[in-house]
Amino acid sequence: MNDLIPFLRLSIPRLPWFLGGLLLAVLTVVAATGLLALSGWFITASALAGAGLIIALDVYRPAGGIRALAVGRTVARYGERIVNHEAVLRHLADLRSWLFRALAPLDPGTLARFRSADLLQRLVGDIDTLDGLFLRVITPTLTAVLTLLGGALFFGLLAPLTVLWVVAVLALAGLILPAIAVVLGGRSGAARIEAAARVRERAVEGVQGLAELRVFGALPRQRASLAAAEQDRARAEIQLVRWGALGDTAAMLAGLGAVWLALWLGVGWLSQDQVTAPIVVLLVLATLGLSEAVAMLPGAYQRLGQIRAAAARLLDVAHTRPALPEPVPPRQPTSEGTLALEGVWLRYSNDAPWVLDGVDLSVHPGETVLITGASGAGKSSLIAVALRLVSAQAGEARVGGVPVQSMRYEDLYSTLGVLSQETVLFADTVAANLRLARPEADDAALEEALFLAGLDDFIAALPQGLETAVGEGGALVSGGQARRLALARLILKGAPVVILDEPFRGLDPATIERLKQRLTPWLSGRATLVIAHEPDMAPPCTTHYMLQGGRLQEMASS
């Protein structure tokens, strides 16, 4: 169970919510048991009073107690659902933030060991599975323990000591049945988690690569793989349902056995005039109510295998360490606005050719250096070295006079702003996406950034202006508009060192010319490195290099 301990620790901030939910769950069982027992006592006592066997019967207080318990059970059940679900949803949000924080520092090489669809399953499906740890395991267990202890105390005060045998039977069932459920459901639960992960992987990858699968005629094979994964998941689910039905049956039989034991003991006490008939009915029905708390346990512990498998998958991510860890102690940039690569050699395997072959490059404030080259020439690798996303075999990159290997990512990226080829926009407004770069920026700063990015007219024409939603991944704007929104976000950041990777990709010639005119003054005060396939697709530069064969060759400046 050690794999669950980290998640129990992570739940400590939500402990008041969980304790509140537990209290309401106990009150629900107590109210339901009390309602059943008191109703049985009252009905029996009323029948005996009607037959003249009981001379005086107070009907007001029992009737009031029944009404109070009925209302209390309803209120407690409703409150328990609200509080427990609120606690779990808050905790799941905490877990997603925790997992994202574990993923954020991972370099691309380390992160590549996890497929994107698999990460999605861990971030969504596996974390959702953990809601059962509190809702379906811990809360029912503690509820059963507390109600059985209360039942033991109640029975011990109300009836002869031998009635505690009833509680002992229920307690024994509460120990044995969950243990059997863990053994029987563990393997099937783990298999279901793994199969569900494969189903999501096949489905997501099939959608993302639909065009390629059709072109290469691999769609039937992908479909068959998805169907096989779904069959594995369905088989595991069916097995879990079977074990669940068996556990529920065993719990029901144990509860009925306790009821029959209470009835048998009660008849014996009644024949010896140790208790009255209404008390016997009360004890029998109270036993039936208490058995409901035990009945929840087999199904709860049957899910433990799924929960542990999901926890193990999450810990696998959380325990992954980046190949490029944060330096201890870190160094701060000693000068502003410089970017340099000094004798950088890089290749991705020992038998692969050199992607960067002793590259030397310096970019100072006020300079715009352009690097062009064919696809696969190593332009993106050069950026990766500067961003400390990969580690070169020799040489180093420096930002602000400090080797990037000696800087924290937070310090590095506060000095260096990047417009990558991948445009990342979130399902929020234009303003919210821009303020990711500078949360405190006012509307005037946003409008200035949009002007420099050539989007001022477009945003001004929108009915909601800066509050216009861009959709998930920028789905509600065109590719060129999304690209310029990312550029505006970079401008808003105002970093002294700027890297632009294909900044004008997907834009028409008129828009490119307008952007060149607006960006040139802004770039003039910064150290700017531009990566492009063609010089026409970049702002005016002070130095132009061609990257070929891993080496930089100076070209005529544009």
Side-chain angles (χ1 to χ4, degrees), residues 99-460:
L99 186 63
F100 189 82
R101 286 194 299 270
L103 288 169
L106 299 183
D107 55 279
T110 303
L111 197 60
R113 60 170 284 205
F114 301 104
R115 302 167 77 169
S116 59
D118 179 52
L119 281 178
L120 179 63
Q121 171 65 18
R122 296 180 197 233
L123 192 61
V124 178
D126 291 344
I127 287 181
D128 283 345
T129 301
L130 286 179
D131 71 354
L133 179 61
F134 295 95
L135 282 182
R136 298 179 178 87
V137 177
I138 294 178
T139 297
T141 300
L142 294 179
T143 300
V145 170
L146 294 175
T147 52
L148 286 179
L149 288 175
L153 179 63
F154 175 74
F155 283 177
L157 294 174
L158 190 64
L161 190 61
T162 51
V163 80
L164 296 180
W165 282 105
V166 175
V167 178
V169 168
L170 291 175
L172 186 62
L175 292 174
I176 295 176
L177 295 180
I180 295 175
V182 169
V183 174
L184 295 180
R187 183 176 299 178
S188 299
R192 182 195 175 280
I193 290 295
E194 294 298 328
R198 291 197 302 274
V199 168
R200 188 183 289 269
E201 287 177 20
R202 303 297 186 273
V204 172
E205 291 171 354
V207 172
Q208 291 178 340
L210 184 60
E212 290 81 0
L213 291 170
R214 284 178 171 172
V215 168
F216 292 101
L219 194 57
R221 187 172 58 188
Q222 176 71 14
R223 187 184 298 114
S225 177
L226 175 60
E230 174 58 26
Q231 288 176 359
D232 291 340
R233 189 204 62 78
R235 279 194 294 268
E237 191 73 44
I238 290 172
Q239 190 62 46
L240 285 172
V241 170
R242 288 173 178 170
W243 293 133
L246 181 61
D248 292 342
T249 302
M252 181 183 67
L253 292 176
L256 291 176
V259 170
W260 277 104
L261 176 61
L263 181 60
W264 179 71
L265 291 173
V267 170
W269 302 327
L270 183 61
S271 65
Q272 298 174 13
D273 293 327
Q274 294 181 0
V275 295
T276 62
I279 294 297
V280 171
V281 174
L282 182 149
L283 292 174
V284 170
L285 293 180
T287 301
L288 181 62
L290 290 178
S291 68
E292 292 297 320
V294 176
M296 298 185 292
L297 297 182
Y301 280 85
Q302 179 200 343
R303 298 175 179 270
L304 200 57
Q306 300 179 60
I307 294 171
R308 293 188 63 187
R313 284 168 50 83
L314 293 173
L315 290 177
D316 181 37
V317 175
H319 291 162
T320 301
R321 294 295 176 260
L324 303 173
E326 294 278 36
V328 179
R331 293 177 57 185
Q332 298 289 331
T334 57
S335 62
E336 292 294 330
T338 60
L339 171 63
L341 276 70
E342 300 175 355
V344 174
W345 292 75
L346 175 68
R347 61 182 175 184
Y348 293 103
S349 64
N350 293 333
D351 56 350
W354 290 102
V355 180
L356 300 177
D357 185 353
V359 169
D360 289 298
L361 177 67
S362 296
V363 187
H364 298 283
E367 294 181 344
T368 298
V369 175
L370 170 64
I371 297 179
T372 58
S375 297
K379 303 187 298 297
S380 296
S381 296
L382 188 147
I383 294 177
V385 172
L387 298 178
R388 202 163 82 87
L389 299 178
V390 298
S391 182
Q393 281 75 18
E396 64 183 11
R398 290 175 173 268
V399 172
V402 176
V404 296
Q405 306 292 346
S406 301
M407 300 172 64
R408 296 185 307 164
Y409 282 110
E410 181 179 355
D411 297 331
L412 175 61
Y413 294 140
S414 64
T415 307
L416 193 154
V418 184
L419 178 68
S420 63
Q421 291 193 33
E422 182 180 1
T423 301
V424 178
L425 295 176
F426 294 92
D428 210 326
T429 64
V430 171
N433 273 278
L434 293 180
R435 287 195 174 100
L436 291 173
R438 205 169 84 204
E440 74 282 2
D442 57 18
D443 287 354
L446 302 187
E447 290 168 359
E448 181 182 0
L450 290 168
F451 170 79
L452 293 175
L455 279 175
D456 51 323
D457 293 339
F458 169 70
I459 299 298

Side-chain angles (χ1 to χ4, degrees), residues 28-42:
T28 300
V29 175
V30 169
T33 302
L35 177 62
L36 190 63
L38 184 57
S39 298
W41 178 91
F42 186 56

